[in-house]
């Protein structure tokens, strides 16, 4: 079942046309009709009409909050950058930046970097697109490379804004599903609303 069909069956035409269709097209830079639905379990909240009606009528409390954003862990200091600083600290002097892997040899357990350096590894964790990984991996079967070449990937640009004037908006998340809003991403979060704001004292921030 493709993602568009799943959305239609789960939420109905009204919500799909006004939000879920354009929002997901914007998030994934791919039309839902071109996406599978096998991945949605941990990313898109299912709907139980009985629970919704019971909550509205007051005959039952709202259902338990669902999904990866039901609870949110955030560094007490340093913003999201603190996560990466602490990870980098565990690597001692082994951190390399501004270079990329251009060849991987699983048999020799080596990776060649774009500056020409050859580094060895015991275990390799690759976070790049699978089509690019298979293309640079020595000995990858042609069937695997062909299958990976049919995959599509997108990139994400995260922009953070700092400002002096306090916001009067109490919302923590703002969604911009319309494809006409090209200047904004699909979602913006008011970081200042977090219990541990990354902004300095008497300053405010948002990211999206």
């Amino acid at each position: 079942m493709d993602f568009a069909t799943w959305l239609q069956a789960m939420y109905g035409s009204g919500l799909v046309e006004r939000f879920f269709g354009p929002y997901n097209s914007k998030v994934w830079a791919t039309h839902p009709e071109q996406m599978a639905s096998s991945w949605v379990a941990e990313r898109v909240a299912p709907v139980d009409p009985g629970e919704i009606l019971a909550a509205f009528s007051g005959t039952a409390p709202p259902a338990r909050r669902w999904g990866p954003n039901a609870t949110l862990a955030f560094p007490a200091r340093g913003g999201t950058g603190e996560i990466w600083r602490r990870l980098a600290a565990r690597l001692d002097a082994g951190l390399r930046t501004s270079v990329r892997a251009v060849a991987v040899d699983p048999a020799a357990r080596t990776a060649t970097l774009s500056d020409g350096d050859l580094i060895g590894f015991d275990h390799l964790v690759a976070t790049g697109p699978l089509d690019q990984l298979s293309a640079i991996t020595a000995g990858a079967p042609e069937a695997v490379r062909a299958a990976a070449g049919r995959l599509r990937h997108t990139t994400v640009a995260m922009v953070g804004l700092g400002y002096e004037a306090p916001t009067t908006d109490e919302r923590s998340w703002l969604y911009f599903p319309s494809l006409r809003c090209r200047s904004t991403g699909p979602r913006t979060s008011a970081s200042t609303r977090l219990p541990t704001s990354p902004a300095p004292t008497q300053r405010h921030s948002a990211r999206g």
Side-chain angles (χ1 to χ4, degrees):
M1 179 186 297
D2 64 70
F3 189 31
T5 301
W6 187 91
L7 288 172
Q8 189 72 26
M10 183 61 63
Y11 300 110
S13 299
L15 287 176
V16 170
E17 292 174 3
R18 289 172 174 79
F19 181 79
F20 287 102
Y23 176 75
N24 281 285
S25 295
K26 198 173 186 180
V27 167
W28 306 111
T30 302
H31 292 295
E33 292 85 351
Q34 299 173 329
M35 301 171 62
S37 62
S38 56
W39 57 274
V40 302
E42 293 299 323
R43 298 298 304 172
V44 185
V47 173
D48 185 324
E51 288 184 354
I52 293 175
L53 292 175
F56 270 110
S57 64
T59 58
R64 179 180 61 88
R65 296 181 66 187
W66 173 95
N69 292 326
T71 58
L72 179 65
F74 199 83
R77 292 174 298 277
T80 52
E82 185 65 16
I83 299 173
W84 312 118
R85 283 188 286 271
R86 293 190 185 188
L87 287 173
R90 297 181 181 183
L91 300 176
D92 299 320
L95 179 65
R96 298 285 301 275
T97 60
S98 302
V99 293
R100 58 187 178 88
V102 296
V104 176
D105 189 333
R109 294 181 180 273
T110 60
T112 304
L113 304 183
S114 56
D115 62 1
D117 280 359
L118 185 71
I119 59 174
F121 60 83
D122 295 319
H123 303 282
L124 177 67
V125 177
T127 60
L130 293 177
D131 55 342
Q132 296 181 8
L133 176 64
S134 64
I136 66 172
T137 300
E142 287 303 320
V144 172
R145 288 181 174 172
R150 293 192 294 270
L151 298 175
R152 300 176 62 180
H153 65 269
T154 61
T155 58
V156 175
M158 181 70 71
V159 178
L161 300 176
Y163 47 95
E164 295 184 0
T167 177
T168 58
D169 197 317
E170 296 295 327
R171 292 170 292 187
S172 298
W173 302 89
L174 296 174
Y175 290 86
F176 302 92
S178 176
L179 296 177
R180 292 177 296 179
C181 299
R182 296 291 183 181
S183 60
T184 61
R187 184 179 70 185
T188 297
S189 62
S191 305
T192 308
R193 296 296 178 195
L194 295 171
T196 55
S197 172
T201 304
Q202 302 301 319
R203 296 294 185 270
H204 310 272
S205 65
R207 57 193 174 93

